[in-house]
Amino acid sequence: MITLHFYYNMEKPICEKFQLIPVKFRKNLCQRVRDIKARQQRKKKKKERGKYRSYSLSLKICALKWIEEGRDERTIADELDIPLKNIRRWKKQGPFRKKGCGRKSIDLEMEQKLAAWCHETIQNTNKRVSRAMIQTQALKMIKQGVDFKASKGWTDKFVRKYKLIRNKRISKS
């Protein structure tokens, strides 16, 4: 039973229970109750998805070893706080990422030339290559008509991808 409190002229309650509400308020209240129940049912049906989470390779391998030992998938999912669907996918496809996943580079040839330029510059001058230098050189090397911005994020990923370590100098060989 739904307990509702209505105040008449904000002084005293008219009634405490749904059935005792006067007729003129009953229609409006019935509609309100139906709306509230419908909203609650929609919330139950529409389950909001959480943020994407990435899991380390060691965690995936650990989960798969536990499955081989005979532990239940559901208990593993509960213990590691991982969705059951992920564990089943790892069991089926393996713990490694699929080849070819992720965003493709706009111009792979330009990136390779730029990486070679960076290594040559480091070896010839025995000085570090700054990120600003990498950005300006990338903008010079990119083909005409390609929508490309050598942003900070792109530069960070480029340095990580081609293992251009800023803190160490590469000596001449």
Side-chain angles (χ1 to χ4, degrees):
M1 181 59 59
I2 299 172
T3 305
L4 299 168
H5 302 279
F6 277 82
Y7 294 91
Y8 184 73
N9 292 335
M10 303 299 245
E11 292 174 6
K12 57 184 180 181
I14 297 174
C15 59
E16 295 285 327
K17 299 283 184 195
F18 180 72
Q19 288 91 358
L20 302 175
I21 294 174
V23 177
K24 64 180 182 178
F25 294 114
R26 196 171 287 164
K27 276 189 179 178
N28 190 12
L29 183 64
C30 289
Q31 187 60 41
R32 272 187 172 157
V33 170
R34 274 191 232 116
D35 291 343
I36 291 170
K37 284 184 180 179
R39 215 175 300 130
Q40 288 172 348
Q41 286 176 349
R42 271 186 265 141
K43 280 185 182 178
K44 286 180 185 175
K45 286 182 185 177
K46 184 183 176 185
K47 195 173 185 181
E48 289 191 27
R49 190 191 63 72
K51 290 184 177 181
Y52 284 110
R53 293 188 294 179
S54 61
Y55 302 100
S56 67
L57 183 62
S58 59
L59 182 89
K60 294 176 186 179
I61 291 171
C62 178
L64 292 176
K65 282 183 182 177
W66 285 354
I67 290 172
E68 288 175 5
E69 291 173 2
R71 294 179 74 176
D72 186 38
E73 294 172 356
R74 290 183 195 278
T75 55
I76 294 169
D78 290 340
E79 286 178 22
L80 298 176
D81 192 30
I82 298 172
L84 183 61
K85 186 177 181 179
N86 287 5
I87 292 177
R88 288 184 176 155
R89 185 180 66 239
W90 299 338
K91 184 179 172 184
K92 185 178 177 183
Q93 296 177 354
F96 303 102
R97 287 183 60 127
K98 291 184 197 173
K99 298 223 176 193
C101 290
R103 182 179 283 186
K104 308 296 180 252
S105 63
I106 294 173
D107 191 358
L108 186 62
E109 186 180 325
M110 181 274 300
E111 283 188 8
Q112 291 170 346
K113 286 180 183 176
L114 183 62
W117 174 85
C118 290
H119 285 294
E120 285 174 21
T121 307
I122 291 169
Q123 286 179 349
N124 294 339
T125 61
N126 200 20
K127 292 183 180 178
R128 296 182 185 126
V129 177
S130 69
R131 290 172 189 264
M133 290 170 64
I134 292 172
Q135 288 174 332
T136 55
Q137 190 66 28
L139 291 171
K140 287 178 190 175
M141 289 181 160
I142 196 72
K143 295 174 185 172
Q144 291 286 337
V146 178
D147 185 28
F148 172 74
K149 297 173 184 170
S151 64
K152 181 187 178 300
W154 176 85
T155 310
D156 291 342
K157 288 173 189 166
F158 176 80
V159 168
R160 214 176 311 130
K161 182 178 180 180
Y162 290 98
K163 297 177 177 75
L164 301 172
I165 302 168
R166 292 184 67 213
N167 298 334
K168 295 182 181 177
R169 290 184 183 162
I170 301 172
S171 61
K172 293 182 183 179
S173 323

